[in-house]
């Protein structure tokens, strides 16, 4: 959404995810690189999920993969983890389910979400993203599972936190979820710099002699 300008993540392909993962893999030294399995790359069968997870590891250079869904995705998690590929789960607001959920909404079904968390853990996930759920429910999930929970819009009670880089740096202004804290306004700084560049080119002030070569 923040890179391609799409209203949701459903159009992203596996090939695009492999490409972006490969770019990140070149730049990291110590971080854990987790790549998302995109929509319809794991829902058809556990075998499909395993094959595509393998591509993200082998071709993309990921260390682990992430997929959305709780109980319904447990067989895929089990197949991938069974091949010694680390799997991260994702429950609560699952962006690939945006149409079924009726938009990007807070998820409050405590019984279902607890069952989802336990199912993903039992299937072999090493960690769990918990998105856009009430604070008390997020804490209940954290104390119910033995694997780390990573929150996004789920309060401070999780073991870790996520923010989209473009959101926290002010690079994307079209969608402003309540749970986002903007730590900088780099977007405004970029606009200001480009406008200054354009003015100087029009006025003939750039390039100046210090930016040019002499005979």
């Amino acid at each position: 959404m923040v890179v391609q300008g799409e209203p949701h993540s459903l159009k992203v392909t596996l090939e695009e995810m492999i490409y972006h993962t490969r770019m990140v893999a070149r730049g990291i030294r110590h971080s854990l690189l987790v790549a998302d399995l995109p929509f319809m790359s794991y829902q058809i069968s556990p075998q499909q999920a395993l094959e595509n997870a393998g591509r993200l590891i082998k071709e993309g250079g990921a260390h682990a993969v992430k997929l959305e869904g709780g109980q319904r995705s447990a067989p895929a998690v089990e197949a991938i983890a069974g091949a010694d590929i680390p799997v991260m789960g994702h429950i609560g607001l699952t962006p690939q389910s945006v149409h079924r959920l009726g938009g990007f909404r807070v998820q409050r079904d405590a019984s279902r979400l607890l069952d989802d968390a336990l199912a993903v853990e039992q299937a072999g996930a090493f960690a769990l993203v918990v998105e856009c759920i009430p604070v008390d429910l997020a804490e209940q999930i954290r104390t119910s599972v033995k694997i780390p929970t990573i929150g996004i819009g789920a309060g401070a009670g999780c073991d870790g936190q996520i923010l989209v880089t473009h959101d926290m740096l002010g690079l994307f202004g079209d969608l402003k979820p309540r749970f986002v804290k903007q730590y900088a306004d780099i977007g405004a700084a970029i606009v200001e710099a480009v406008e200054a560049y354009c003015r100087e080119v029009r006025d003939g002030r750039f390039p100046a002699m210090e930016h040019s070569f002499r005979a």
Side-chain angles (χ1 to χ4, degrees), residues 8-14 17 36-44 48 52 66-68 72 94-99:
H8 46 64
S9 62
L10 300 182
K11 293 184 180 180
V12 177
T13 67
L14 181 64
M17 288 304 300
D36 271 275
L37 281 161
F39 180 60
M40 292 311 298
S41 68
Y42 60 92
Q43 288 93 339
I44 294 175
Q48 179 211 29
N52 289 331
K66 182 176 78 65
L67 53 78
E68 297 180 8
R72 64 176 171 82
T94 47
Q96 293 175 19
S97 305
V98 61
H99 294 321

Side-chain angles (χ1 to χ4, degrees), residues 65-120:
V65 299
K66 182 176 78 65
L67 53 78
E68 297 180 8
Q71 299 170 77
R72 64 176 171 82
S73 297
V77 172
E78 186 174 6
I80 297 170
D84 290 337
I85 297 175
V87 188
M88 180 180 289
H90 185 157
I91 64 170
L93 171 57
T94 47
Q96 293 175 19
S97 305
V98 61
H99 294 321
R100 179 180 63 81
L101 298 175
F104 299 100
R105 303 173 183 273
V106 178
Q107 301 301 298
R108 305 178 187 276
D109 188 338
S111 177
R112 176 178 60 82
L113 290 169
L114 281 167
D115 287 344
D116 282 343
L118 292 169
V120 169

Side-chain angles (χ1 to χ4, degrees), residues 26-42:
R26 291 176 182 172
I28 64 174
R29 295 295 178 268
H30 305 291
S31 301
L32 175 68
L33 177 52
V34 183
D36 271 275
L37 281 161
F39 180 60
M40 292 311 298
S41 68
Y42 60 92

Side-chain angles (χ1 to χ4, degrees), residues 81-163:
D84 290 337
I85 297 175
V87 188
M88 180 180 289
H90 185 157
I91 64 170
L93 171 57
T94 47
Q96 293 175 19
S97 305
V98 61
H99 294 321
R100 179 180 63 81
L101 298 175
F104 299 100
R105 303 173 183 273
V106 178
Q107 301 301 298
R108 305 178 187 276
D109 188 338
S111 177
R112 176 178 60 82
L113 290 169
L114 281 167
D115 287 344
D116 282 343
L118 292 169
V120 169
E121 177 186 41
Q122 186 174 359
F126 74 91
L128 181 65
V129 172
V130 182
E131 180 169 357
C132 210
I133 67 173
V135 172
D136 56 344
L137 178 53
E139 293 180 350
Q140 187 177 357
I141 290 173
R142 181 182 62 82
T143 58
S144 298
V145 297
K146 296 181 178 64
I147 58 177
T149 60
I150 305 173
I152 176 169
C158 297
D159 299 298
Q161 296 293 330
I162 296 173
L163 272 184

Side-chain angles (χ1 to χ4, degrees), residues 160-172:
Q161 296 293 330
I162 296 173
L163 272 184
V164 175
T165 305
H166 288 66
D167 291 336
M168 69 183 294
L169 297 181
L171 292 170
F172 185 77

